[in-house]
Amino acid sequence: MNWNFRVLRGLARLTFAQQLILLALVPATAATLTAIAVLTRQHLGNLTELMRANAQTVALQVATAAQAPLGRMDRRALQRTAQTGTYQPHVQQVQIWTEDGEIVANSETVDRARAEGLQVLAPIVADDGRPTGKVMVEISLDAVQSARRSVWLNVALVLAISLVGVGLAGWWAARRISEPIRALGKAVDRLGAGEDASVSVEGSSEVRHLQHGFNQAARALAESRRLLQSRISAATAELARKNAQLEVASQAKTRLLAAASHDLRQPLHALTLFSDGLANGETDPVRLQRIGHIRECVESLDRLFSELLNLSQLDAGVLQPQWTDFPLDRLFDEISRNFRSVAEQQGLRLVARKTDLWVRCDYVMLSRILNNLVSNSLRHTIEGGVLIGARRRGKGVRIDVLDTGVGIAPQHQTRVFEEFYQVEPTGKQAARGARGMGLGLATVQRLAELLNTRVELSSRLHKGTCVRVLVRSAPAALPAPAAAPLPADIEDDVSLEKLRILVIDDERTILEGLSVVLSNWGAEVLAAQTRAEALALADIWEQPPDVVVSDLLLQGGDNGLDVLAALERHPRGIGPGTARLLVTGETKPDRLREVASAGIAVLYKPVSPRVLRQAIQAQRAAALRLIEA
């Protein structure tokens, strides 16, 4: 069975022409061999019978001649009679036997070699019909052997001539049949390559019919290909045009958001500063309540602008992960401090479960993700609260943010991570004004992509929502040693009392607001709107300021980075001991990349007085440490 399979596989590897030639040769060879075998057998049989008849004739002649001598038992005469029989062609031996089997005469040939022989017996009969003896004649079959050799030579010659003839005929037929098929195969290859695939119509009627049908199919397919290519080209051009329109629209959106954000941040920043100035020293409850309302509105606007800023920073590509190992509990404590008062004002509970897990992640990015999730949960929770917890999952850590809020309907769950997509608030949620810009979860998703992780959401309408963030785990490290306390004089300097602060901003209202806030903190304020005013102050001051707070974009296309560089080059300008802080409302991607590469601390407008004070203290402390080092 295996042998048959191997033969079939071998035949399958032959070309079509080879298979046709083989198909012609095999039956022809079998038929020729069969015919030759039958004819040869008949011929040799006839020749053998002829030799037998010849031997029988010689035996009868010897029997007739030996009748009388045998009756007289004349042995000499019988011997001569036997010798006479050996003179006949091909006779090798003649014996004369009595009736009882005695050999009375024996004659053999001596002039030629003995070969295979055929023995024939003939009776010797007396005149009265009584048998008196027998004659045995052995005739040589060398003529049969010679004839057999001659026949096989002729067979080989005839077979060779037949096979050559059949092979040539088969080759001609195979070529006549396979050549059009081979041409069709090459045409199919050209057709697959998109080239002209027509073939000439020739050969037998069946082949011509096949070639004609192929040419028609090739022309139809070529026409379809041209039509399809035309449609693809048109669709590609249309897609390119729409992509260009989308790109223009996206760029316009980015420019619009950046411009609107910058232009709106300026007065909002001034409003933040003046609202703090209004509250300073105020004791009237009514006025304090109104100032509180103003602050709530400012904080709401600040939250909306922060969402826009986060999106702009992601579009600009200025955010890159800084991988560190840190305990999650530290981040949970920070989130709890930031949002506990917000939760209490809404009558909600905020629970951050203690954990001893460590993670390897970017602290700022993970903090922004969890801050957005907690803020979003508090905004959409009417009663109950928000829970933050973490548990180990395999080689990672899963952080859960759960709330008892209004939940998200199934049809919205796949879209809440899209930019500007919002679910319309209802009931108490709508009455409370819990509405953002639809950027919080979009920012979470994009920050998670930067961290090579994923965010999972599950929610039930009116039951609550759970958002899971998967991060890499890290081995717990030994507690870091406590930071050495600053010297007493440095601690005094970190406070803003009598601190010399140069404020640079081209907006007069912001400049006045900063002056009011910083003066209320006991600082000595120097104000400048342009580079020229700042350098003019440098010409007359007795010593450089302790801190420089500058806006990024100034009048006439100037910017705060260039002004700081000019003050560093001024003979009486700022040095390493002067802390530097940029405050900007710019959100354009190129500007954000410029700020990120400057290596100077940046605050984005609107900046609350508390954040501004913390930033000034941190930068002043860092400058003092640099001097001490």
Side-chain angles (χ1 to χ4, degrees):
M1 187 64 69
N2 293 335
W3 181 83
N4 292 334
F5 286 150
R6 286 197 295 270
V7 171
L8 292 175
R9 285 197 297 268
L11 292 176
R13 287 193 289 267
L14 297 177
T15 64
F16 181 66
Q18 290 172 338
Q19 291 181 10
L20 287 177
I21 294 173
L22 189 62
L23 184 62
L25 286 177
V26 170
T29 303
T32 302
L33 288 176
T34 301
I36 291 175
V38 172
L39 294 176
T40 300
R41 184 174 181 181
Q42 290 178 353
H43 174 69
L44 294 177
N46 292 335
L47 184 58
T48 302
E49 290 301 321
L50 179 62
M51 297 300 294
R52 186 187 299 277
N54 188 22
Q56 189 70 35
T57 300
V58 172
L60 289 175
Q61 290 176 354
V62 171
T64 301
Q67 180 180 1
L70 182 63
R72 299 189 304 268
M73 289 299 293
D74 187 353
R75 292 181 179 270
R76 182 174 297 178
L78 291 174
Q79 184 64 32
R80 287 195 300 269
T81 301
Q83 288 178 349
T84 302
T86 58
Y87 295 155
Q88 298 297 321
H90 308 294
V91 176
Q92 298 184 134
Q93 186 178 14
V94 176
Q95 291 181 348
I96 300 175
W97 302 345
T98 62
E99 182 63 24
D100 55 2
E102 179 185 359
I103 299 175
V104 294
N106 179 33
S107 178
E108 298 182 22
T109 60
V110 295
D111 57 342
R112 58 181 180 269
R114 291 287 295 271
E116 182 182 356
L118 176 65
Q119 294 179 351
V120 178
L121 298 175
I124 302 174
V125 181
D127 293 337
D128 56 2
R130 178 177 55 84
T132 58
K134 295 180 182 179
V135 176
M136 187 278 293
V137 176
E138 181 181 353
I139 192 166
S140 175
L141 295 179
D142 56 351
V144 177
Q145 298 297 334
S146 178
R148 182 180 286 113
R149 289 192 296 269
S150 177
V151 166
W152 283 119
L153 180 60
N154 293 332
V155 166
L157 183 60
V158 171
L159 181 60
I161 294 173
S162 300
L163 291 181
V164 170
V166 172
L168 290 175
W171 175 80
W172 177 83
R175 184 176 180 182
R176 182 174 176 81
I177 296 174
S178 65
E179 190 63 29
I181 296 177
R182 186 181 298 109
L184 283 174
K186 293 181 180 178
V188 170
D189 293 337
R190 294 196 302 272
L191 187 64
E195 303 174 0
D196 181 25
S198 61
V199 296
S200 58
V201 179
E202 56 186 5
S204 62
S205 60
E206 293 84 358
V207 174
R208 287 197 302 272
H209 181 72
L210 177 62
Q211 292 167 337
H212 181 69
F214 176 81
N215 288 338
Q216 287 182 333
R219 286 192 294 270
L221 186 58
E223 183 64 26
S224 299
R225 182 185 291 111
R226 284 191 293 270
L227 180 60
L228 181 60
Q229 187 64 36
S230 175
R231 292 179 178 176
I232 290 175
S233 299
T236 302
E238 180 67 16
L239 183 59
R241 185 180 64 83
K242 290 185 177 180
N243 283 339
Q245 292 177 348
L246 289 175
E247 183 65 23
V248 170
S250 178
Q251 293 177 357
K253 178 208 75 172
T254 302
R255 289 194 298 269
L256 175 64
L257 288 177
S261 176
H262 177 268
D263 294 342
L264 292 174
R265 284 172 184 273
Q266 296 293 96
L268 181 60
H269 182 51
L271 180 61
T272 302
L273 298 173
F274 282 122
S275 64
D276 187 76
L278 288 175
N280 186 46
E282 182 61 57
T283 58
D284 186 354
V286 177
R287 291 183 178 180
L288 287 175
Q289 184 180 15
R290 291 173 181 173
I291 294 172
H293 291 325
I294 293 174
R295 284 181 171 176
E296 289 177 0
C297 294
V298 171
E299 289 175 358
S300 178
L301 288 173
D302 182 31
R303 183 178 65 253
L304 298 178
F305 279 119
S306 296
E307 292 179 356
L308 279 176
L309 176 62
N310 292 338
L311 183 62
S312 299
Q313 287 177 326
L314 290 170
D315 288 335
V318 300
L319 297 180
Q320 295 299 326
Q322 303 295 324
W323 302 99
T324 57
D325 297 345
F326 58 88
L328 265 181
D329 205 45
R330 177 169 37 127
L331 179 56
F332 284 3
D333 288 344
E334 178 183 317
I335 294 173
S336 179
R337 288 193 302 270
N338 292 340
F339 290 98
R340 188 172 299 280
S341 60
V342 177
E344 290 175 352
Q345 290 176 3
Q346 298 177 200
L348 303 174
R349 292 185 60 201
L350 175 62
V351 178
R353 285 183 176 173
K354 302 293 290 183
T355 177
D356 57 356
L357 295 175
W358 282 57
V359 297
R360 178 167 180 76
C361 195
D362 184 293
Y363 186 90
V364 175
M365 289 187 182
L366 185 57
S367 173
R368 187 175 295 181
I369 288 174
L370 297 182
N371 281 332
N372 280 354
L373 293 178
V374 172
S375 175
N376 198 64
S377 294
L378 290 174
R379 191 181 308 135
H380 297 90
T381 300
I382 306 302
E383 55 185 6
V386 178
L387 171 66
I388 311 170
R391 62 184 64 186
R392 193 179 300 279
R393 281 293 179 267
K395 296 182 179 180
V397 174
R398 192 186 78 189
I399 303 174
D400 297 335
V401 179
L402 301 93
D403 63 57
T404 58
V406 296
I408 304 172
Q411 65 269 22
H412 300 302
Q413 292 181 14
T414 58
R415 300 196 59 191
V416 292
F417 290 99
E418 298 177 8
E419 295 176 3
F420 301 106
Y421 184 82
Q422 301 180 75
V423 180
E424 195 68 26
T426 58
K428 295 181 180 179
Q429 184 185 9
R432 198 173 66 186
R435 187 177 181 87
M437 296 184 67
L439 293 176
L441 291 180
T443 302
V444 167
Q445 183 70 28
R446 295 179 63 174
L447 286 173
E449 292 174 357
L450 283 177
L451 296 174
N452 297 322
T453 185
R454 65 180 187 274
V455 178
E456 301 173 350
L457 181 143
S458 60
S459 181
R460 294 177 61 189
L461 200 59
H462 307 304
K463 296 294 184 180
T465 301
C466 176
V467 182
R468 302 177 181 89
V469 183
L470 303 175
V471 294
R472 283 183 287 178
S473 64
L478 295 176
L486 294 173
D489 55 342
I490 294 182
E491 289 181 354
D492 292 339
D493 288 338
V494 171
S495 67
L496 302 189
E497 189 70 29
K498 297 182 180 180
L499 198 67
R500 291 169 53 83
I501 301 178
L502 172 61
V503 180
I504 306 172
D505 200 301
D506 56 349
E507 292 285 343
R508 173 60 62 182
T509 54
I510 294 178
L511 208 57
E512 292 178 359
L514 282 172
S515 299
V516 170
V517 171
L518 295 174
S519 298
N520 290 338
W521 293 339
E524 180 183 345
V525 181
L526 304 175
Q529 286 186 278
T530 63
R531 180 193 302 208
E533 292 182 8
L535 295 177
L537 289 174
D539 291 334
I540 61 175
W541 62 40
E542 297 181 358
Q543 60 181 5
D546 302 309
V547 181
V548 177
V549 179
S550 176
D551 191 9
L552 178 63
L553 298 183
L554 301 174
Q555 293 178 357
D558 206 354
N559 66 69
L561 293 174
D562 294 337
V563 174
L564 290 175
L567 288 174
E568 291 173 357
R569 294 191 299 268
H570 193 280
R572 303 183 61 189
I574 61 178
T578 301
R580 298 160 177 79
L581 181 64
L582 284 176
V583 180
T584 181
E586 186 61 53
T587 58
K588 292 181 179 179
D590 55 343
R591 292 293 186 183
L592 292 176
R593 285 190 288 268
E594 181 183 8
V595 171
S597 62
I600 299 176
V602 182
L603 295 177
Y604 294 95
K605 299 177 182 179
V607 180
S608 67
R610 178 179 61 84
V611 173
L612 177 63
R613 183 184 182 101
Q614 292 175 351
I616 291 175
Q617 290 174 330
Q619 296 306 309
R620 178 57 180 164
L624 292 176
R625 289 194 184 96
L626 182 62
I627 295 174
E628 290 295 321

